[in-house]
Amino acid sequence: MDPRSEVMLRQAQLFDGKLLLAGLPADDLLGQLPQASGWSWHAGEQQRLQRRFAGRCSFGVDAPAGNFEAAVLFLPKSRELTEYLLQTLAARLAGRPLYLVGEKRAGVERAARQLAAFGHARKLDSARHCQLWQVQVEQTPAHPELSALAERFQLELADGPLQVVSLPGVFSHGRLDRGSALLLEHLDDLPATGRLLDFGCGAGVLGATLKRRYPQSELFLLDVDAFALESSRLTLAANGLEATLIAGDGIDAAPFELSAIVSNPPFHHGVHTSYEASEALLERAARHLAAGGELRLVANAFLRYPPLIETHLGHCQTLAEADGFRIYRAVHQP
Ligand SMILES: C[S@@+](CC[C@H](N)C(=O)[O-])C[C@H]1O[C@@H](n2cnc3c(N)ncnc32)[C@H](O)[C@@H]1O
């Protein structure tokens, strides 16, 4: 059981009604609270919850419809995303309680200050390195418009300006990451047709650039996070481009027979650092690439990716190195 769920269940009498659990972990909480529903924006957790509690958890950037007696927000990483989520939940809870639960090291104490906008917030419990807070919603906010919270900026790229729409909580919110910037300079000589994948697409900067440069290709953008996929959708639309968006956890969710996989792969998750999704990408990219298909990625120079790429895919070429990042290229020759 996730420690945040354990802290909640210490006060189980508060949570036995029709409750919405937003950003819930994929543990047994829905089993312990039979009247509760979940709302997840993490495709992997959603899939695990769906397997155990079919139909009880929805996925996306909008809270599910329904008249809830209370809601619990599991603190996400980003302050801006917390703001959106608290508002969207509080907007449905006039006169009812909104709870916030999170790890101390994730900043729950600081985030709890954001509850003051809706009423008098109080700490109910502190245990397992987590805190549980409650506010009775007295000042009900208007339903926030997610797209109004987007940061919109323009990148001056070699092949023309690109509009980027980045939503709260999405990687490198409101600016271009240095690693992605380096990769954008090294997208030449990819297969011009066939199926291209932007793995871990975030706001869709790489994918949109690929589609513009290789218009004959069929583009797929994959991310685990619903807010990233929504950002990518908005970025593609802002540039008049079309692609298929895939909500999925890791490379296993990708299509097959790809002519190229392009990625600034993930290496953080929550408050813990994890390279799992990136290592799985390197280990299993070959299964998703067509013969002659290419993996091209940017990574921190200190990450020992080349031996993994050589073991599972083939010769790993370093195309460029700058600012502590490297661009790697490997071609699948079965
Ligand atoms: C380093 S960011 C790159 C974002 C974007 N491509 C860019 O260059 O700005 C990595 C992305 O991978 C996504 N991600 C993390 N874990 C993932 C997983 N298991 N499967 C798919 N995507 C994942 C994150 O949500 C994030 O958007």
Side-chain angles (χ1 to χ4, degrees):
M1 200 77 159
D2 186 286
R4 296 166 300 169
S5 303
E6 286 179 348
V7 172
M8 268 188 69
L9 291 174
R10 281 158 56 102
Q11 320 281 331
Q13 76 287 352
L14 295 175
F15 303 115
D16 60 0
K18 201 168 174 296
L19 179 74
L20 178 61
L21 300 167
L24 72 170
D27 63 7
D28 191 42
L29 194 55
L30 284 176
Q32 304 281 321
L33 302 171
Q35 292 199 66
S37 306
W39 168 29
S40 176
W41 43 92
H42 185 286
E45 281 161 11
Q46 162 68 11
Q47 206 178 26
R48 289 190 283 281
L49 288 164
Q50 178 62 17
R51 247 182 255 130
R52 290 183 64 191
F53 306 105
R56 288 189 56 199
C57 187
S58 71
F59 175 77
V61 295
D62 297 310
N67 196 18
F68 296 100
E69 289 164 29
V72 183
L73 175 63
F74 288 77
L75 180 67
K77 213 166 49 168
S78 136
R79 188 182 159 81
E80 292 96 347
L81 182 58
T82 304
E83 183 86 34
Y84 166 73
L85 294 166
L86 286 175
Q87 275 193 30
T88 206
L89 294 171
R92 294 154 179 267
L93 289 172
R96 283 162 286 167
L98 169 60
Y99 299 88
L100 174 70
V101 65
E103 288 186 79
K104 287 187 205 159
R105 65 178 164 178
V108 66
E109 195 130 28
R110 186 168 35 89
R113 289 189 217 126
Q114 294 172 258
L115 296 176
F118 315 119
H120 173 65
R122 58 196 185 105
K123 185 162 46 171
L124 297 184
D125 201 359
S126 180
R128 317 265 197 280
H129 307 290
C130 298
Q131 293 179 354
L132 174 67
W133 289 76
Q134 183 211 48
V135 66
Q136 200 74 20
V137 179
E138 281 147 16
Q139 283 104 46
T140 316
H143 280 277
E145 184 57 54
L146 183 58
S147 64
L149 301 175
E151 295 261 359
R152 292 159 202 273
F153 57 99
Q154 181 166 305
L155 297 178
E156 302 304 333
L157 301 182
D159 37 8
L162 186 84
Q163 311 300 323
V164 183
V165 187
S166 144
L167 289 171
V170 174
F171 173 76
S172 195
H173 179 46
R175 62 180 180 85
L176 179 64
D177 171 68
R178 279 186 302 141
S180 307
L182 187 65
L183 187 50
L184 283 176
E185 290 168 17
H186 294 89
L187 292 178
D188 294 335
D189 303 322
L190 283 164
T193 55
R195 316 171 110 196
L196 295 179
L197 172 69
D198 175 355
F199 176 77
C201 57
V205 178
L206 301 172
T209 306
L210 285 171
K211 182 66 185 173
R212 208 168 56 173
R213 186 151 328 163
Y214 303 102
Q216 303 306 320
S217 65
E218 185 186 0
L219 175 70
F220 296 86
L221 297 99
L222 187 157
D223 207 287
V224 76
D225 181 84
F227 289 91
L229 290 163
E230 179 62 8
S231 281
S232 283
R233 192 184 68 74
L234 294 168
T235 294
L236 290 164
N239 294 282
L241 299 167
E242 278 183 16
T244 303
L245 299 170
I246 302 171
D249 188 359
I251 189 62
D252 296 344
F256 295 100
E257 288 296 309
L258 294 165
S259 57
I261 302 173
V262 173
S263 186
N264 179 355
F267 64 92
H268 282 300
H269 177 69
V271 285
H272 312 283
T273 304
S274 159
Y275 299 98
E276 211 181 301
S278 301
E279 289 173 2
L281 165 70
L282 307 184
E283 287 165 15
R284 301 203 281 278
R287 291 188 202 169
H288 296 268
L289 287 168
E294 180 177 331
L295 173 67
R296 192 170 300 185
L297 49 89
V298 62
N300 274 296
F302 68 80
L303 293 171
R304 295 194 39 76
Y305 285 170
L308 259 184
I309 296 174
E310 302 238 327
T311 305
H312 296 283
L313 197 56
H315 174 61
C316 176
Q317 194 185 343
T318 302
L319 288 183
E321 177 161 8
D323 293 339
F325 292 96
R326 287 195 191 136
I327 306 294
Y328 297 120
R329 166 181 195 265
V331 175
H332 178 43
Q333 272 143 355

